[in-house]
């Protein structure tokens, strides 16, 4: 009977890394896939096509699968660059490029947040994902039901076949209150009516089973 393993995936700036870990903590396989550099534009904007992340993820997971030997994957956990955000349709289709974690062009939006947010909020500043969401809404005019998702949220959505969840760690920079466990009123008053904010869960929560299409894509 095959031994079980868990897969950890890190989507970084330069590439995607995947590890398979046995129950005793031993790494049984690893794989990686490179990513092209994000596009830097005048004014401090840093953008990337989200489909590049999916291509890197599927490439890394397929390579990992070829190295697993007698081990069978039982669970997968994924992280991404904090603050990287995109808008997508309800089916996950990106509405435009993602704004990367080091994008610093959302100054006007950051000023509006600064006037509304508590002084200690992680959502303050042009680098926070809330400012990026506001800028993308103004830029892309998303249809009703569109979603604002962080890099890890969107990639997990591709694996699950649904795009409705985030976790505390990602959602903090979008304004989520991890103490009250809700989206605060000051966030909802910043013109986010055009998008559906994700359901936010504790980090590490099991969010579902691998979608059949994602299983086929990743091997």
């Amino acid at each position: 009977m095959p031994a079980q393993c868990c897969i950890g995936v890190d989507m970084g700036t330069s590439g995607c890394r995947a590890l398979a870990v046995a129950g005793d903590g031993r790494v049984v396989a690893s794989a990686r896939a490179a990513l092209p550099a994000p596009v830097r534009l005048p004014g401090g904007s840093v953008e990337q096509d989200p489909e590049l992340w999916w291509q890197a993820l599927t490439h890394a997971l397929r390579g990992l699968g070829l190295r697993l030997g007698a081990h069978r994957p039982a669970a997968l956990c994924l992280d991404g660059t904090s603050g990287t955000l995109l808008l997508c349709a309800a089916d996950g289709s990106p509405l435009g490029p993602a704004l990367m974690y080091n994008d610093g062009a959302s100054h006007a939006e950051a000023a509006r947040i600064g006037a509304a947010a508590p002084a200690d909020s992680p959502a303050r500043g042009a680098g926070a994902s809330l400012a990026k969401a506001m800028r993308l809404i103004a830029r892309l005019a998303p249809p009703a039901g569109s979603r604002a998702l962080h890099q890890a949220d969107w990639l997990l959505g591709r694996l699950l076949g649904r795009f409705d969840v985030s976790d505390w760690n990602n959602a903090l920079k979008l304004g989520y209150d991890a103490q009250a466990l809700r989206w605060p009123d000051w966030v909802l008053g910043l013109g986010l009516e055009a998008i559906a904010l994700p359901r936010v869960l504790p980090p590490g929560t099991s969010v579902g089973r691998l979608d059949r299409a994602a299983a086929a894509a990743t091997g």
Side-chain angles (χ1 to χ4, degrees):
M1 183 174 181
Q4 289 189 339
C5 65
C6 295
I7 296 174
V9 177
D10 173 46
M11 185 63 66
T13 305
S14 60
C16 177
R17 297 178 292 275
L19 292 177
V21 182
D24 60 3
R26 178 173 49 92
V27 175
V28 296
S30 65
R32 63 176 299 142
L35 274 171
V39 177
R40 294 180 176 271
L41 300 172
S45 185
V46 185
E47 303 179 353
Q48 196 165 50
D49 180 356
E51 290 295 340
L52 295 172
W53 310 336
W54 179 243
Q55 292 169 17
L57 176 61
T58 55
H59 184 81
L61 289 178
R62 279 193 169 274
L64 189 74
L66 295 175
R67 299 174 173 89
L68 288 180
H71 289 81
R72 183 178 67 83
L76 183 148
C77 184
L78 181 148
D79 72 7
T81 50
S82 174
T84 296
L85 185 111
L86 73 151
L87 296 189
C88 66
D91 66 357
S93 303
L95 299 179
L99 300 183
M100 297 299 290
Y101 70 97
N102 54 344
D103 180 286
S106 304
H107 299 294
E109 293 79 8
R112 288 180 57 199
I113 294 167
D120 60 350
S121 173
R124 297 173 70 94
S129 47
L130 180 56
K132 296 168 191 170
M134 294 166 62
R135 183 165 132 231
L136 286 172
I137 289 171
R139 173 176 162 183
L140 299 174
S146 299
R147 307 188 186 279
L149 295 175
H150 297 88
Q151 184 180 52
D153 304 332
W154 184 77
L155 286 170
L156 285 172
R158 291 291 299 259
L159 292 171
L160 291 167
R162 57 183 177 83
F163 298 83
D164 59 348
V165 295
S166 183
D167 65 58
W168 300 345
N169 290 339
N170 281 297
L172 283 174
K173 291 184 179 180
L174 195 56
Y176 185 75
D177 188 331
Q179 292 183 315
L181 301 181
R182 66 182 183 89
W183 293 103
D185 293 339
W186 66 263
V187 169
L188 301 178
L190 287 171
L192 305 183
E193 297 86 357
I195 60 171
L197 291 170
R199 183 166 55 100
V200 183
L201 302 172
T205 300
S206 177
V207 290
R209 296 183 65 84
L210 197 65
D211 175 72
R212 287 182 180 274
T218 60

